Amino acid sequence: MSWGLDHGLPIVEATTPPVLTLTGPATSGQAAGLGDAVRMLLTAAETGVVVCDVAGIGPPGLLTVDLLARLQLAARRAGGRIRLRGPDPALRALLHLVGLPVEVEGEVEEGEPALGVEVEVEPGEAAL
């Protein structure tokens, strides 16, 4: 598996989370280096989120789940979290099956209404 990260601290806009691109099949020895990369990206960015682009990671398996769990743990220890971009439906199902709560880009966060959803108000109440 390879991952895209330039040497040195990346230049990141304050409102745009940094992106870590994961490609190729996951292997068991990559978690430490990628965990360090997630911590470095969280330190450089003020968003508290690192987006992990997993569209090119290949067929999902338990090594992929283990890697993502370790990245999530590294991010949480650094005071942030990871968000997946482009996960395969099979990967999402596998993450759900093992009970790993990982945020997916484009999904509505818990407690927030979906975009474009209007809240119904009672007659006489002010619209929000």
Side-chain angles (χ1 to χ4, degrees):
M1 169 184 272
S2 62
W3 49 283
L5 183 65
D6 293 328
H7 295 288
L9 293 176
I11 298 172
V12 179
E13 190 177 315
T15 58
T16 304
V19 178
L20 180 67
T21 303
L22 305 173
T23 58
T27 62
S28 58
Q30 298 172 309
L34 290 172
D36 291 341
V38 166
R39 283 188 291 277
M40 185 181 75
L41 288 170
L42 282 170
T43 302
E46 297 177 10
T47 60
V49 177
V50 172
V51 175
C52 293
D53 189 341
V54 294
I57 205 165
L62 291 180
L63 284 176
T64 304
V65 171
D66 180 58
L67 176 65
L68 293 174
R70 290 175 186 271
L71 293 180
Q72 179 76 302
L73 180 61
R76 290 198 187 261
R77 286 181 176 167
R81 63 188 192 280
I82 64 169
R83 182 182 304 148
L84 300 183
R85 175 183 289 167
D88 185 80
L91 177 59
R92 292 179 71 175
L94 188 56
L95 291 171
H96 181 72
L97 180 68
V98 299
L100 182 62
V102 179
E103 205 176 302
V104 176
E105 199 171 56
E107 284 187 346
V108 177
E109 290 187 34
E110 230 175 273
E112 293 184 10
L115 294 176
V117 174
E118 295 182 21
V119 178
E120 185 178 323
V121 295
E122 294 293 321
E125 286 185 9
L128 299 175

